[in-house]
Amino acid sequence: MAEYVKIEKGLGPEGRIAVVRFDRADGINALSPEALRQLTDAARSFEDDGATSVVVLTGGAKSFSAGFDLKDAEGRSRRTMDIGTLRRHLKLGPRLTRSWQDMEQVTIGAIEGFCIGGGVALAVALDFRVMARDAHMRVPEIGLGMNMSWQSVPRMLHLMGPARTKQAVILADDRISAAEAYEWGMVEQMADPGKAFETAMALATKVAAQPPISIAMTKLTVNRLAHALDDLASHMDVDQFALASLTEDHKEGVAAFLERRKPRLKGR
């Protein structure tokens, strides 16, 4: 099994910073089902880690993530799954983002290149995001005949408000530049090209210098208050995704993406 995720601990003040590197070494960094599992396991590995206060998540030098891997054999097998099997398989994404949101440690994403679809879903599940000035985000799900899932819409809503969330999600072909993402509140800091990780580590160093227990309790309080209704608001997004995956528009959207052409969407 390929190893897509590496963890380095004991960095920064008193060794309280850890780095998680997700890099498939292909310049794209797509989220295959196996990558989703490895990233989830990485987050869960910190559950009993009292020595780490901050976790920096970084992708490759050219991309944070291109989102879900539409070419992966396991992912494509969803087309032949019965609805029960499909619902279980579709929980891989929400399980990933929840595992990162629920970490006791403060989490910081370092984004270079592009961050698309599922990559955005993972990024907005973190506490902070640092983005290179020449990087961009995009949320293509609707253009592929899908809904934005993984409980991402409530998280984006908290960061940007309703109008910007609709703009980011509904206008699926529009790139969101780093400057726009910063202006909208989608990222907290911008960095010079190639310096997102370095800037994220500087922020991590500031956080790690604070009292660890107070940090953990404060994060928990803020998250519980901010996300109190998120489960209620997004409890159906897996089933909505499963339903959308059965539409003709979804099949056409994915086919058009793989064939690099404009989709012919008909609303059925």
Side-chain angles (χ1 to χ4, degrees), residues 124-240:
V124 298
L126 306 177
D127 295 310
F128 302 106
R129 288 144 294 277
V130 176
M131 190 171 179
R133 296 180 192 276
D134 60 346
H136 70 270
M137 292 183 173
R138 189 162 64 86
V139 184
E141 275 72 4
I142 283 184
L144 296 171
M146 301 182 284
N147 65 308
M148 183 61 173
S149 58
W150 300 6
Q151 295 187 315
S152 304
V153 171
R155 296 184 182 115
M156 295 170 72
L157 188 65
H158 294 313
L159 292 172
M160 302 189 290
R164 291 301 191 190
T165 298
K166 292 173 188 174
Q167 184 174 355
V169 175
I170 293 175
L171 300 180
D173 287 335
D174 284 4
R175 288 186 175 188
I176 303 167
S177 68
E180 288 171 325
Y182 177 75
E183 179 186 349
W184 296 359
M186 208 170 183
V187 302
E188 284 68 42
Q189 282 187 240
M190 288 193 292
D192 291 334
K195 300 291 185 181
F197 176 70
E198 181 180 317
T199 304
M201 286 296 288
L203 175 59
T205 299
K206 291 181 181 179
V207 175
Q210 304 302 317
I213 296 175
S214 298
I215 292 173
M217 291 191 296
T218 299
K219 171 177 174 172
L220 177 64
T221 299
V222 172
N223 277 8
R224 289 293 182 269
L225 288 170
H227 301 293
L229 298 178
D230 285 5
D231 284 338
L232 177 63
S234 61
H235 75 284
M236 287 294 291
D237 75 358
V238 166
D239 289 324
Q240 289 173 348

Side-chain angles (χ1 to χ4, degrees), residues 49 51 73 89 145 235:
D49 183 354
H89 200 268
H235 75 284

Side-chain angles (χ1 to χ4, degrees), residues 102-120:
D102 286 349
M103 287 173 62
E104 185 168 286
Q105 294 80 8
V106 170
T107 54
I108 304 172
I111 301 169
E112 293 281 354
F114 51 82
C115 179
I116 298 173
V120 175

